[in-house]
Amino acid sequence: QPQLAQTGGGSVQAGGSLTLSCIGSAFPRTRTCMGWFRQAPGKEREWVAVYYTGGGAEYYADSVKGRFTISQDVAKMTFYLVMNSVNPEDSGMYFCAIRPKPSGDKCPLAEPEFRYWGQGTQVTVSS
């Protein structure tokens, strides 16, 4: 059973940077979708960024494109969300998740399609 453990998060001022880490175990290094999601108070969880180890494809939500980067060290089963130029709208609980062996060899961009989740970490951006 794959497991994910998150580190990072915390408080940062607007315009600053923050890196979240997700350390995994027991999931295939090839053909796995690695994703980051976030949930602000009173809002639904939304996807932020996804990376597919099966081909290197990356996907970013419009709200973070150009500011956030998903990176990975597949050998260590670890992936990261590098957050730059953050703003208060980026505040929320951030979750990492994986979907091994996606159907059609393409990563879903929807929460229900990801099967294994980290515990979540809070990010607070102050203005």
Side-chain angles (χ1 to χ4, degrees), residues 21-95:
S21 302
C22 184
I23 305 167
S25 63
F27 67 84
R29 289 180 171 86
T30 59
R31 296 188 62 220
T32 288
C33 301
M34 299 172 163
W36 288 97
F37 295 76
R38 68 185 181 188
Q39 186 169 19
K43 295 187 177 180
E44 293 186 352
R45 193 176 300 184
E46 61 177 358
W47 76 276
V48 174
V50 173
Y51 173 83
Y52 185 38
T53 66
E58 297 180 8
Y59 308 88
Y60 295 94
D62 289 343
S63 58
V64 306
K65 200 171 295 182
R67 301 187 298 120
F68 291 11
T69 302
I70 185 169
S71 64
Q72 59 289 318
D73 186 336
V74 177
K76 294 182 179 179
M77 291 188 167
T78 300
F79 57 106
Y80 311 89
L81 183 67
V82 180
M83 307 165 60
N84 294 318
S85 302
V86 297
N87 58 61
E89 289 70 38
D90 294 320
S91 296
M93 187 69 75
Y94 281 71
F95 299 88

